Amino acid sequence: MSSMDLEKLKMTGAGRAIAVLTSGGDAQGMNAAVRAVTRMGIYVGAKVYLIHEGYQGLVDGGDNIKLAHWHSVTNIIQQGGTVIGSARCKAFTSREGRLGAAFNLVKRGITNLCVCGGDGSLTGANIFRSEWSNLLAELVQKGRITDTLAKQHDHLNIVGLVGSIDNDFCGTDMTIGADSALHRITEIVDAIMTTAQSHQRTFVLEVMGRHCGYLALVSALASGADWLFIPEAPPQDDWEDRMCARLEGSRIKGSRLNIIIIAEGAIDRKGEPISTNYVKDSSKLGVEAVVALMEATPHTPACVIGLSGNHPVRLPLMECVEMTKLVQTAMNEKRFDEAVKLRGGSFENNWNIYKLLAFQKPAQSQSDHSLAILNVGAPAAGMNAAVRSAVRVALAHGHKVYAVSDGFQGLANGAVSEMQWHSVAGWTGQGGSLLGTKRTLPSKYMDKIVDTIRKYGISALLVIGGFEGYEGVLQLFEARSRYDELCIPMCVIPATISNNVPGTDFSLGADTAVNAAMEGCDKIKQSATGTKRRVFVVETMGGFCGYLATSTGIAVGADAAYIFEDPFNIHDLKTNVEHLTEKMKKDVQRGLVLRNERCHEHYTTDFIHKLYSSEGKGIFDCRVNVLGHLQQGGTPTPFDRNFGTKLGVKAVQWISERITENFRQGRVFANSPDTACVLGLNRKVIAFSPVTELKDVTDFEHRMPKVQWWYNLRPMLKMLAKYQTSFNEYVPGEIEHVTRRSLSIDSGF
Ligand code: FDP
């Protein structure tokens, strides 16, 4: 972090007041945002007010605007909806209403407002901000406030957090609530699929999204749906006949289920709505918000906090709103191709991949090349989705595809079988590894592996797996000088709940694992409802890597998360246990302490349990829970399904290109470092990193990258648990600009 960033973070909120409200349709995650804004605000020394019932509460004032304390937001992080309420408010649309709202704020000295809502709510906030000085002047003129008070509060800072399940806001990759909505839809589709399979039926499912097909599109990808209707891309005029023909065709090929997904606002090319009934008859960031508010000057435009990949960014509020409106205009004017583009690169990419994988197209020509796919390491959610898309895209490229059971060991033993389009039907939503996976490294079987490659004429390898998958490909690469057969393109798709593979910010399965661990912790905390005060010590997996413990800790509001990368000693443990004991003496009922399985050789889970039990005697009792393999999560989350699907596509596209480039004198001969790569997501960019380059940045003893991006989330975890922590390591969100060209600040992935 630059020294300038450090300067920026010496912020103080002393003498300042922040108010937070939620507005519009409620969305899961709003409570986590309210908690983070409240605690970060108090942490920097500001007064924080919670405005109940959205803009209505702001207009009505009185008890609707309450001064918040640290504990006002205790135990809300896991609750759905919004605990401070969200009402539709007609009064705020009038100047009279906004005059009342301004009075209610200025009277309390509030000049910083954080609004969590959809584009309508955020547009309202911006109007309020632009009128602020006029409103104060009118209040002075009417004798409701003094001129001095008006002068002291002459500027209102606004920061928006986009809360909307539709993910319909330009500029951010993901709105608050969209991911939870996808989880619900995916659960429903999974349940329906079981029924559909047993009855050989076609199911038509309508999902929310009046003006935006995001939820429908991503659900269709996550479920491998057969047909999809979204407002941005209406079907061709003869869609009824084509849809029936395709459904019939897949039934003849033995498919027992068909899923059709319709977005609420789906239309045909003439702009007429497509309803589920008609189809039946014819066949998815509060800390950053406070940092932005504290840094705002009268000249800073109102901003909205969005996500670019996994990083918070600040975007000019009104430009985002304008871009969002442009999409709607394009749809109204039937410029559908432009509407899909305006939604952003990620949306467009989802749409293209959906079209690529939904139904079988004959390969343009046979390539005479064979691709072998294997899983390595422990099972991770999303592996099967990656195998499915890789198999299908490879077949579409005309390659022969071999599935290898049991990792490198299976490759050595010739456990190889040829795959067809339908061999991978229904794999997207399945957990575990359907191919069969093993951790063993190839070094001990090199000769036998080479024999199999020769025997089957394998011209490329796709390894979907964890740290050993990467290490294994590095071993194969280093053996190229001894075996010509290993001079073939090799790609690793990182897949492990530990998220410890170099070359990527995220591995497949990590999202599912955090969700599973989070759900486990929520249930564990709930188990103590109504009992006496209790502290839970929860052990998480991840090997030496603390990603899972840290991310889960933030998601569940843990009091501490012990990890190997953030060394701790007996003094730290003492401070933590005393801190928690003080909290439990007050009105806190439950405590949660996470411990990564390999965070410390001697301070074991049992040791920490005994320490907390002993020090808490008479104040709280202590229980241990080892989450274990349930962290593998069963069925994959929508994120892992889609991430796996996309990585599978990208990997095979890359492999096909390398095959073509390195095909000479009748054979593939690829021996340069850039032909053995890890495919990863770095910030928002998809990158292929040569395993040889990654070797220098790998801590092989502890099976992890030497530098890990998520480490700067640690101060936030500690701050939110009220520890005196230095925030100097926090990296503030960058300011991005939304222009027509950079509209898709997302990865385009
Ligand atoms: P990984 O090898 O993918 O890094 O200990 C590391 C770990 O993952 C844990 O995160 C995971 O729980 C465990 O391995 C699973 O392996 P086993 O099924 O062999 O226990």
Side-chain angles (χ1 to χ4, degrees):
M1 189 160 78
S2 69
S3 54
M4 205 188 89
D5 287 337
L6 287 172
E7 278 309 310
K8 276 206 279 184
L9 286 169
K10 284 184 188 140
M11 69 181 76
T12 171
R16 303 174 72 173
I18 301 171
V20 53
L21 64 83
T22 52
S23 172
D26 65 322
Q28 289 221 45
M30 279 181 163
N31 289 330
V34 168
R35 171 182 177 268
V37 169
T38 305
R39 293 200 166 174
M40 181 64 178
I42 294 172
Y43 176 81
V44 299
K47 273 184 168 177
V48 178
Y49 291 89
L50 297 174
I51 302 177
H52 292 253
E53 310 311 329
Y55 283 118
Q56 191 64 53
L58 183 58
V59 171
D60 294 348
D63 278 352
N64 288 305
I65 306 179
K66 292 196 183 96
L67 186 64
H69 307 283
W70 191 266
H71 298 302
S72 308
V73 290
T74 295
N75 213 19
I76 68 167
I77 195 168
Q78 73 283 3
Q79 295 180 34
T82 162
V83 293
I84 55 175
S86 169
R88 306 250 173 227
C89 176
K90 203 151 176 15
F92 193 73
T93 59
S94 71
R95 184 175 165 94
E96 202 46 39
R98 295 194 291 273
L99 189 70
F103 177 71
N104 288 326
L105 289 184
V106 75
K107 216 172 54 173
R108 292 169 175 86
I110 303 168
T111 53
N112 298 282
L113 183 61
C114 177
V115 175
C116 185
D119 56 345
S121 308
L122 299 176
T123 306
N126 197 56
I127 294 170
F128 189 42
R129 176 184 188 262
S130 58
E131 285 179 351
W132 181 255
S133 51
N134 274 331
L135 293 169
L136 294 200
E138 191 176 334
L139 290 170
V140 173
Q141 196 199 347
K142 290 187 168 156
R144 295 182 70 186
I145 60 169
T146 64
D147 193 36
T148 318
L149 189 69
K151 285 204 174 83
Q152 281 168 348
H153 302 96
D154 64 344
H155 184 77
L156 178 71
N157 299 314
I158 297 270
V159 163
L161 294 169
V162 196
S164 159
I165 64 164
D166 289 354
N167 207 25
D168 56 354
F169 197 80
C170 285
T172 181
D173 286 0
M174 199 61 137
T175 58
I176 294 170
D179 190 52
S180 297
L182 279 175
H183 277 245
R184 297 293 86 75
I185 296 169
T186 309
E187 280 166 18
I188 290 163
V189 175
D190 285 352
I192 285 173
M193 280 168 95
T194 320
T195 312
Q197 224 139 12
S198 31
H199 296 288
Q200 260 209 344
R201 278 193 191 146
T202 296
F203 278 78
V204 183
L205 186 79
E206 182 178 301
V207 304
M208 286 170 101
R210 218 163 335 135
H211 306 292
C212 178
Y214 173 84
L215 287 179
L217 173 53
V218 179
S219 313
L221 269 180
S223 60
D226 299 274
W227 198 279
L228 166 72
F229 296 96
I230 54 174
E232 293 86 349
Q236 300 301 330
D237 285 343
D238 60 341
W239 63 269
E240 292 95 331
D241 293 342
R242 292 191 310 121
M243 183 176 79
C244 292
R246 190 186 303 169
L247 298 180
E248 192 53 37
S250 66
R251 199 181 299 258
I252 288 164
K253 287 189 185 126
S255 171
R256 292 185 62 84
L257 88 149
N258 292 110
I259 300 272
I260 298 170
I261 296 187
I262 307 183
E264 191 186 354
I267 47 172
D268 64 21
R269 294 248 149 208
K270 296 184 206 86
E272 296 299 322
I274 296 175
S275 70
T276 40
N277 271 336
Y278 179 55
V279 174
K280 193 166 80 184
D281 294 346
S282 68
S283 67
K284 117 148 73 152
L285 299 174
V287 169
E288 183 61 29
V290 174
V291 176
L293 280 173
M294 293 299 105
E295 289 181 357
T297 68
H299 311 291
T300 322
C303 73
V304 64
I305 311 296
L307 270 179
S308 172
N310 47 336
H311 292 265
V313 288
R314 296 179 206 171
L315 301 136
L317 192 155
M318 285 321 289
E319 286 178 38
C320 293
V321 170
E322 289 309 319
M323 286 296 173
T324 306
K325 283 184 184 154
L326 279 179
V327 184
Q328 190 57 47
T329 310
M331 290 195 290
N332 293 346
E333 293 170 3
K334 304 195 171 52
R335 289 179 283 116
F336 295 112
D337 289 345
E338 205 181 324
V340 168
K341 285 200 166 16
L342 283 166
R343 276 271 182 246
S346 173
F347 189 96
E348 192 181 1
N349 189 42
N350 282 332
W351 174 238
N352 290 333
I353 291 180
Y354 167 73
K355 287 191 290 182
L356 185 71
L357 299 173
F359 62 99
Q360 185 173 7
K361 300 157 209 71
Q364 302 270 306
S365 58
Q366 290 309 310
S367 74
D368 279 341
H369 298 300
S370 303
L371 165 68
I373 306 178
L374 53 153
N375 290 162
V376 173
M383 279 179 157
N384 299 323
V387 174
R388 170 184 173 266
S389 64
V391 166
R392 290 191 168 182
V393 175
L395 290 171
H397 286 195
H399 306 317
K400 193 178 261 189
V401 186
Y402 292 113
V404 181
S405 310
D406 302 335
F408 293 115
Q409 191 178 316
L411 190 59
N413 295 334
V416 169
S417 55
E418 197 177 335
M419 302 293 273
Q420 307 299 341
W421 186 274
H422 287 285
S423 323
V424 287
W427 281 36
T428 317
Q430 298 205 44
S433 160
L434 292 168
L435 291 185
T437 184
K438 279 217 158 42
R439 237 181 240 288
T440 24
L441 288 165
S443 49
K444 60 194 265 202
Y445 316 102
M446 214 52 100
D447 289 334
K448 288 180 77 187
I449 286 177
V450 167
D451 285 347
T452 306
I453 292 177
R454 196 184 307 115
K455 179 171 168 197
Y456 289 90
I458 293 168
S459 26
L461 275 187
L462 175 57
V463 175
I464 301 165
F467 193 88
E468 286 78 11
Y470 150 70
E471 203 178 353
V473 167
L474 184 59
Q475 290 183 353
L476 294 178
F477 172 84
E478 288 174 342
R480 275 179 173 177
S481 55
R482 289 182 281 133
Y483 303 97
D484 275 3
E485 288 80 357
L486 297 176
C487 295
I488 54 174
M490 298 180 220
C491 183
V492 182
I493 294 182
T496 160
I497 70 166
S498 303
N499 202 22
N500 59 345
V501 179
T504 190
D505 288 353
F506 288 111
S507 57
L508 284 175
D511 184 67
T512 301
V514 171
N515 272 278
M518 186 185 76
E519 277 166 24
C521 288
D522 283 346
K523 285 175 188 154
I524 288 167
K525 272 169 93 177
Q526 216 168 6
S527 74
T529 310
T531 66
K532 56 185 178 174
R533 295 192 165 102
R534 182 166 282 177
V535 172
F536 294 100
V537 177
V538 176
E539 184 186 291
T540 59
M541 281 181 165
F544 284 96
C545 179
Y547 172 79
L548 195 49
T550 301
S551 299
T552 305
I554 291 169
V556 299
D559 296 280
Y562 298 112
I563 64 166
F564 173 78
E565 297 91 332
D566 195 357
F568 58 97
N569 57 28
I570 194 67
H571 303 291
D572 300 305
L573 288 172
K574 181 173 173 281
T575 307
N576 290 167
V577 74
E578 286 170 358
H579 180 78
L580 196 50
T581 307
E582 283 310 306
K583 272 166 85 171
M584 302 291 280
K585 280 184 191 160
K586 298 187 186 131
D587 53 354
V588 175
Q589 290 286 326
R590 284 163 279 177
L592 186 73
V593 174
L594 295 179
R595 182 190 176 277
N596 157 272
E597 61 183 348
R598 303 197 68 175
C599 65
H600 201 286
E601 198 181 345
H602 305 295
Y603 300 143
T604 60
T605 302
D606 187 43
F607 176 90
I608 290 178
H609 169 225
K610 288 186 174 135
L611 179 77
Y612 274 78
S613 297
S614 173
E615 295 301 312
K617 212 173 188 127
I619 300 159
F620 58 81
D621 65 10
C622 186
R623 294 283 188 278
V624 176
N625 289 266
V626 178
L627 292 176
H629 286 81
L630 73 76
Q631 289 161 98
Q632 282 176 7
T635 61
T637 57
F639 178 90
D640 278 327
R641 293 176 193 210
N642 292 336
F643 194 32
T645 299
K646 292 175 190 174
L647 290 178
V649 172
K650 284 274 173 197
V652 172
Q653 286 169 343
W654 178 88
I655 284 171
S656 289
E657 286 163 18
R658 300 291 84 70
I659 286 177
T660 309
E661 270 173 25
N662 294 283
F663 185 73
R664 348 186 152 88
Q665 290 157 1
R667 62 153 300 190
V668 174
F669 189 82
N671 64 348
S672 59
D674 62 354
T675 56
C677 288
V678 170
L679 166 55
L681 185 61
N682 298 333
R683 279 208 77 150
K684 53 186 177 175
V685 177
I686 278 294
F688 289 87
S689 315
V691 287
T692 39
E693 282 176 20
L694 294 173
K695 190 177 176 184
D696 297 337
V697 295
T698 304
D699 173 352
F700 285 94
E701 186 189 348
H702 301 107
R703 301 169 74 249
M704 63 169 79
K706 288 179 182 162
V707 177
Q708 303 188 84
W709 68 271
W710 51 266
Y711 192 73
N712 61 41
L713 298 174
R714 302 269 309 160
M716 178 159 82
L717 187 147
K718 293 175 189 171
M719 182 279 292
L720 289 170
K722 209 181 183 183
Y723 285 98
Q724 292 306 322
T725 180
S726 156
F727 231 70
N728 286 353
E729 293 147 51
Y730 178 75
V731 180
E734 285 166 18
I735 299 169
E736 300 231 10
H737 293 281
V738 184
T739 61
R740 212 169 230 288
R741 192 184 55 78
S742 68
L743 171 67
S744 54
I745 61 157
D746 52 31
S747 50
F749 172 66

